[in-house]
Amino acid sequence: MHVKLMLPLDRPYFRNANVFKFPKESSLLSPQLINPHVGISLTQKLQAGEGSVRLVYGKYAYHHYMQDRFDDDKWGCAYRSLQTLISWFRLQGYTEAAVPTHRDIQQVLVDIGDKESSFVGSKQWIGSTEVSFVLEKLLNVTSKIMFVSSGADLASKGRELVYHFSTEGTPIMIGGGVLAHTILGVYYNDQTGDIKFLILDPHLTRLDENLKYIQDKGWCGWKNADFWNANAYYNMCMPQRPKEF
């Protein structure tokens, strides 16, 4: 069917997850907010066409602290970012696997030999490498890991991020210091070096899924390069689309 319609062979267009949903049906996709970045714009200057803007492709769900009646405040941000990444693969039709709980994630890391058995049920952090391990084990998805020696150096990764969102279109988990976030897009001007990051913040503890509040308070929004800690190193887990499914 893909060949007959001249569609890309790495996009599962004809799976149930990709059936068209009307706006009022969005709650059927996930109990979490879907695509909270929609409606957030850059400044008028950037909208005029200066530089390149590349965003996540398709749909994802916003996972953050305290959801699912589970208190992971101050330690579960990378787990929540991983859940957002997995929701993207679910909502694009690449998998029907359920979004894993924190305990599920920990058990996977124990099963593959990355962690000791005492890790299950703990409040220990995970990073981008562990996120890539779980994606590979649960979804058979490989990831590219990009290392950045300091937050200040993230501004130099504009071309790589533009390329990622242009080709893969997947959300990126980024961890640095003691914090993890999800990158949903990038603005980059290769003439001036100006860069902005569209960030989804998993540290939200409020359970009222109010889109206006989330956007107005910057829990999902564009951030300048100084958003990152200049004294911390960062790793980015950049999931790659499956080439066969």
Side-chain angles (χ1 to χ4, degrees), residues 108 116 150 193 209:
V108 167
E116 299 293 331
S150 75
E209 304 289 324

Side-chain angles (χ1 to χ4, degrees), residues 30-34 36 60-85 87 99 102 180 182 200-211 213-214 219-220:
S30 169
Q32 289 80 26
L33 279 178
I34 300 295
Y60 62 89
Y62 180 20
H63 291 265
H64 59 77
Y65 280 167
M66 307 299 288
Q67 288 178 335
D68 313 310
R69 298 181 180 179
F70 186 75
D71 184 355
D72 58 342
D73 188 12
K74 296 181 175 61
W75 65 272
C77 50
Y79 294 81
R80 297 299 186 177
S81 181
L82 171 56
Q83 289 177 331
T84 291
L85 267 57
S87 78
V99 173
H102 293 54
T182 307
L200 186 68
D201 193 335
H203 301 94
L204 175 66
T205 57
R206 175 172 168 165
L207 293 178
D208 176 14
E209 304 289 324
N210 185 292
L211 180 60
Y213 174 86
I214 288 168
W219 294 104
C220 184

Side-chain angles (χ1 to χ4, degrees), residues 99-154:
V99 173
T101 65
H102 293 54
R103 191 178 186 88
D104 293 337
I105 293 166
Q106 292 173 339
Q107 188 63 58
V108 167
L109 294 170
V110 170
D111 290 346
I112 65 174
D114 183 66
K115 304 293 184 186
E116 299 293 331
S117 59
S118 59
F119 181 66
V120 178
S122 72
K123 295 184 178 180
Q124 293 184 40
W125 300 332
I126 60 173
S128 57
T129 302
E130 289 92 341
V131 167
S132 71
F133 290 161
V134 175
L135 287 172
E136 185 168 12
K137 178 66 175 179
L138 293 183
L139 306 184
N140 199 29
V141 166
T142 61
S143 301
K144 176 182 177 182
I145 301 294
M146 183 185 296
F147 173 78
V148 182
S149 59
S150 75
D153 289 338
L154 271 165

Side-chain angles (χ1 to χ4, degrees), residues 37 39-55 185-188 194-198 221-224:
H37 73 283
I40 299 175
S41 61
L42 288 162
T43 65
Q44 188 62 39
K45 176 183 177 182
L46 301 184
Q47 289 176 342
E50 298 186 6
S52 299
V53 178
R54 296 292 184 271
L55 303 178
V186 63
Y187 159 78
Y188 180 64
D194 188 26
I195 189 169
K196 294 181 184 294
F197 305 85
L198 183 57
W222 288 97
K223 310 295 183 183
N224 294 321

